[in-house]
Amino acid sequence: MGDGKRAAHRSPEQRQYLFANALYINALYFHRIGALTRAELHGHFRIMCQNQIFRAYWEATEHHRKSLPDSSKEAELGRMMDSLIQDQTDSDTDEWWVVGEPDEETP
């Protein structure tokens, strides 16, 4: 089956997860090339995790992040997103843009 036919058979949830992954990877790449500071990346993450589909994607892909070495940049940024999602879940305010403080900028 060609790639076009395979893509047509993906469920709506699979397509949504692919899009969520694209948003996340795009933000990581922008940070990696220096187009976003860590604080700016945190701001993007804060917006992304407002979306319930993104949160479902994040939960569904947890096992992938657990396989990363703890010292890797990807694991570190994954923990940033985990913390931000937890902070927003625990928050008793509707002002989501003030929840979760960015950690210190590291080179």
Side-chain angles (χ1 to χ4, degrees), residues 31-62:
H31 175 64
R32 184 174 285 164
I33 66 170
L36 291 175
T37 66
R38 191 174 179 95
E40 290 167 333
L41 179 65
H42 186 270
H44 281 282
F45 282 0
R46 183 183 280 156
I47 293 168
M48 289 165 55
C49 66
Q50 286 303 299
N51 184 291
Q52 292 306 310
I53 294 167
F54 182 83
R55 285 185 179 218
Y57 154 78
W58 194 253
E59 185 177 326
T61 57
E62 179 181 15

Side-chain angles (χ1 to χ4, degrees), residues 39-102:
E40 290 167 333
L41 179 65
H42 186 270
H44 281 282
F45 282 0
R46 183 183 280 156
I47 293 168
M48 289 165 55
C49 66
Q50 286 303 299
N51 184 291
Q52 292 306 310
I53 294 167
F54 182 83
R55 285 185 179 218
Y57 154 78
W58 194 253
E59 185 177 326
T61 57
E62 179 181 15
H63 63 284
H64 294 293
R65 290 184 304 285
K66 287 191 181 280
S67 70
L68 296 170
D70 281 344
S71 60
S72 72
K73 190 60 117 174
E74 290 82 2
E76 181 182 325
L77 295 175
R79 288 188 297 271
M80 179 198 301
M81 179 68 84
D82 290 338
S83 176
L84 188 51
I85 288 173
Q86 189 61 52
D87 288 349
Q88 288 187 357
T89 299
D90 295 344
S91 175
D92 60 355
T93 181
D94 290 334
E95 297 174 347
W96 58 266
W97 56 92
V98 298
V99 175
E101 290 296 318

